Amino acid sequence: MSKTDYNVDICIIGAGSAGLSIASGAAQLGRSVVLYEANEMGGDCLNSGCVPSKSIIAAGKAAHAQTSGDKYGIQPVSPKVDFDAVKAHVQGVIEQIAPVDSQERFEGLGCTVIREYAHFTDRKTVESKSSRVKAKRFVIATGSRASAPPIPGLDKTPYLTNETIFEVDRLPEHLIIIGAGPIGFELGQTFRRLGSEVTIIDVAAPLGHNEPEHAKVLIEALESEGVKFITPAKTKEIKKKKYKTKSGVSLKLEDGTKIDGSHLLVAAGRTPALDRLDLEKAGVKYDKRGIDTDDALRTSNPKVYAAGDVVKGMGGLTHAAGFHAGQLIKNFYFMPPLLGQFFAKAVIDRMPAAIYSEPELANIGLSEKDAREKYGEDIKTVSWAFEENDRAIAERKTEGGLKIIATKKGKVLGASVVGEGAGEIIQMLSLAMSNGVKISGLAQFISPYPTRTEIVKRAAGSWYTDTIFSDKTRKLAGILTKFQ
Ligand SMILES: Cc1cc2nc3c(=O)[nH]c(=O)nc-3n(C[C@H](O)[C@H](O)[C@H](O)COP(=O)(O)OP(=O)(O)OC[C@H]3O[C@@H](n4cnc5c(N)ncnc54)[C@H](O)[C@@H]3O)c2cc1C
């Protein structure tokens, strides 16, 4: 079959969060674009990541609400879960969002969309079954997929990943999850709320990179709903075994414990999608953790860039992929060519992240431990608990709180929030860190009462409690009053 030749400004491999944002930016600036996608337009986030997970979480919350109204005087009832209808709700949400990521929309913007696998044939050419592309720049945005941990027997046992869990045949009677990370927490809690027994196993302690007191709140919340954690624990063997009368799995842990379940979900980290790209032919350096880039996302081949989950150390977030896209567009089309040494940095230390369980856990920047390692004694932390927030009290959702980590001069280095709305509240800290707003600025904004986000102002205000209400200021206030 003869191939169609293209010579374009930019060729993007992968139409997920990163690739789509770059394609739309470039096309709207009048650039010629070829966009390759081998599977569904929209990538992981739309089809098997953020969107379905947040949709099923909403179903879990609705079920949980029926069982937890007694604190408001509403008698709890046992929810009747129609799992097929839950799956239809999830698919409905995907379908509602899909047009924004669709081939039609991108063709409408002027992109050439090719629904095939693409790979490099040399340092300046990409090919697929039906096409051959030369471009001024190439962007690899092929994303990631669920890692398969090296556990004996896993390769011979049917298991679920984020690509299959949202279409699982029936509500799992007992869902065993390998991996106590964000996916394990979100889906573990949700399936428990929908009626499954859930066991989460991990080789490491859960949420180890978070503020320990905040991680504890979340773990205890899941445990109180009946999610069982077995951590840290090494799985020695996995095999197929009938669960009651149906198919199932059996896990043997290193200490001899055996756990039988109806379904196994593997959510133990992500592997960059690099196979099929023939990166050696392009002279692009990579290893199993991802593609090597500099801070401007340039690879070892000056014509080739990488963006999103496929970039080494970029830790799987849609908004990180979107940020990469924005920085690349700036660098490609808004930086004067002779000022090549000036570029918009895409690798930053203030990327927020959130786990959308109930309560939520969100963080940004350095943890207190990391800040102490980096800055020694030149740091100060302030905290505020939802127990002292009137809205949280009114809604009887007082678990958790906020911690801000800053230099002694008040520069915000990081923050963590656990509690209802943590993913929203962290945005204040993200805004502060992006714009150099110090603790003093966070103490001064006017917050509508009563809102949960008030804790940002209260925590920041507590930075000054000792100085404002000291003996010295009391004396000063006394003197000034005399002259009024
Ligand atoms: C269960 C789950 C929940 C998540 N929830 C959140 C969340 O709440 N918030 C958040 O920020 N992030 C979340 N994420 C992470 C988020 O989905 C990813 O960070 C994001 O999708 C990465 O975007 P990307 O463009 O790098 O890759 P992807 O979205 O994976 O897109 C890559 C695309 O490239 C295509 N492709 C690969 N190789 C080729 C090839 N050779 N030729 C052509 N096409 C190719 C793939 O088919 C894919 O469509 C979640 C992930 C999972 C798994």
Side-chain angles (χ1 to χ4, degrees):
M1 175 177 151
S2 73
K3 299 194 180 195
T4 308
D5 282 296
Y6 298 89
N7 197 335
V8 289
D9 188 75
I10 185 164
C11 169
I12 302 157
I13 310 177
S17 308
L20 288 173
S21 303
I22 300 163
S24 76
Q28 289 179 80
L29 287 167
R31 305 294 92 204
S32 50
V33 180
V34 164
L35 175 62
Y36 281 105
E37 175 51 61
N39 300 294
E40 296 293 324
M41 295 290 286
D44 239 17
C45 185
L46 173 65
N47 301 292
S48 51
C50 334
V51 172
S53 61
K54 268 73 256 176
S55 312
I56 203 165
I57 285 171
K61 278 186 181 170
H64 184 66
Q66 299 199 346
T67 69
S68 53
D70 47 348
K71 57 193 172 203
Y72 311 113
I74 312 294
Q75 213 172 9
V77 288
S78 230
K80 285 197 182 111
V81 175
D82 176 346
F83 190 59
D84 286 335
V86 171
K87 287 194 290 181
H89 145 69
V90 171
Q91 286 312 312
V93 173
I94 294 174
E95 281 162 27
Q96 192 174 339
I97 298 175
V100 181
D101 292 355
S102 65
Q103 180 166 350
E104 295 70 36
R105 172 161 177 255
F106 279 80
E107 285 173 345
L109 289 171
C111 302
T112 300
V113 180
I114 302 172
R115 302 292 294 273
E116 292 170 0
Y117 275 103
H119 63 103
F120 287 89
T121 50
D122 60 39
R123 291 177 67 88
K124 41 191 181 178
T125 317
V126 160
E127 289 191 26
S128 71
K129 210 167 143 199
S130 70
S131 65
R132 182 181 303 112
V133 179
K134 300 244 181 243
K136 192 167 171 194
R137 301 178 180 95
F138 296 90
V139 181
I140 304 166
T142 49
S144 63
R145 58 179 73 100
S147 306
I151 302 172
L154 183 66
D155 54 345
K156 293 184 208 87
T157 312
Y159 64 87
L160 300 163
T161 67
N162 65 297
E163 285 174 30
T164 45
I165 182 92
F166 302 108
E167 286 161 15
V168 63
D169 54 348
R170 62 185 198 272
L171 181 69
E173 293 84 8
H174 180 186
L175 178 65
I176 300 174
I177 303 178
I178 296 189
I183 300 173
F185 270 79
E186 291 182 359
L187 297 184
Q189 182 180 47
T190 296
F191 275 90
R192 177 73 197 130
R193 289 174 163 195
L194 294 174
S196 303
E197 192 186 332
V198 172
T199 305
I200 301 179
I201 301 169
D202 201 311
V203 277
L207 309 174
H209 299 300
N210 290 271
E211 301 299 333
E213 67 275 29
H214 286 188
K216 190 166 173 267
V217 171
L218 189 49
I219 294 163
E220 286 178 359
L222 264 70
E223 281 176 338
S224 73
E225 291 183 26
V227 173
K228 197 169 165 203
F229 286 92
I230 307 182
T231 62
K234 204 166 172 197
T235 307
K236 208 173 147 195
E237 194 191 358
I238 296 179
K239 60 181 184 198
K240 255 201 291 194
K241 186 183 169 197
K242 271 206 161 168
Y243 187 76
K244 295 178 184 165
T245 56
K246 295 185 180 135
S247 57
V249 290
S250 179
L251 273 71
K252 195 169 161 195
L253 306 184
E254 210 161 53
D255 68 359
T257 311
K258 279 193 179 158
I259 305 142
D260 294 342
S262 59
H263 293 77
L264 174 67
L265 168 67
V266 175
R270 310 284 301 166
T271 299
L274 296 169
D275 44 344
R276 294 174 176 258
L277 283 169
D278 290 337
L279 291 179
E280 288 78 9
K281 291 186 183 158
V284 170
K285 282 196 187 142
Y286 70 98
D287 64 28
K288 61 182 184 190
R289 290 169 300 149
I291 294 179
D292 290 303
T293 69
D294 65 10
D295 285 358
L297 301 176
R298 291 177 285 218
T299 71
S300 50
N301 175 341
K303 272 179 107 58
V304 181
Y305 296 75
D309 281 13
V310 81
V311 179
K312 192 184 277 183
M314 273 307 116
L317 292 164
T318 287
H319 47 274
F323 180 72
H324 286 175
Q327 300 303 82
L328 283 182
I329 291 290
K330 273 188 219 161
N331 288 334
F332 291 165
Y333 305 121
F334 295 101
M335 288 285 169
L338 294 177
L339 298 179
Q341 68 273 36
F342 296 107
F343 56 84
K345 245 179 104 166
V347 178
I348 54 160
D349 54 7
R350 51 181 166 81
M351 189 60 68
I355 301 177
Y356 297 95
S357 45
E358 213 176 1
E360 294 180 357
L361 174 60
N363 56 34
I364 184 166
L366 296 178
S367 65
E368 181 178 349
K369 182 169 168 278
D370 291 345
R372 284 203 188 283
E373 269 164 28
K374 194 165 173 192
Y375 291 88
E377 285 314 300
D378 183 32
I379 69 154
K380 184 171 165 181
T381 67
V382 280
S383 301
W384 203 264
F386 283 117
E387 274 175 359
E388 293 186 75
N389 175 278
D390 290 359
R391 179 67 175 274
I393 295 169
E395 294 180 348
R396 297 198 182 278
K397 289 188 174 166
T398 52
E399 68 278 14
L402 160 74
K403 182 196 254 184
I404 306 176
I405 301 113
T407 63
K408 285 199 170 147
K409 286 190 173 157
K411 181 183 173 206
V412 180
L413 300 172
S416 168
V417 193
V418 66
E420 170 142 318
E424 307 296 329
I425 294 166
I426 204 74
Q427 316 228 16
M428 290 286 291
L429 282 308
S430 183
L431 183 69
M433 289 180 76
S434 300
N435 293 285
V437 176
K438 293 173 119 184
I439 291 285
S440 53
L442 289 174
Q444 282 180 50
F445 74 96
I446 300 171
S447 180
Y449 173 87
T451 51
R452 297 180 69 89
T453 307
E454 264 186 289
I455 64 163
V456 176
K457 185 179 165 72
R458 299 302 295 272
S462 73
W463 182 280
Y464 302 100
T465 311
D466 293 347
T467 38
I468 290 179
F469 302 114
S470 66
D471 288 346
K472 222 163 145 188
T473 52
R474 272 170 215 252
K475 261 187 213 156
L476 183 66
I479 295 165
L480 288 175
T481 322
K482 283 185 193 158
F483 293 100
Q484 282 164 358

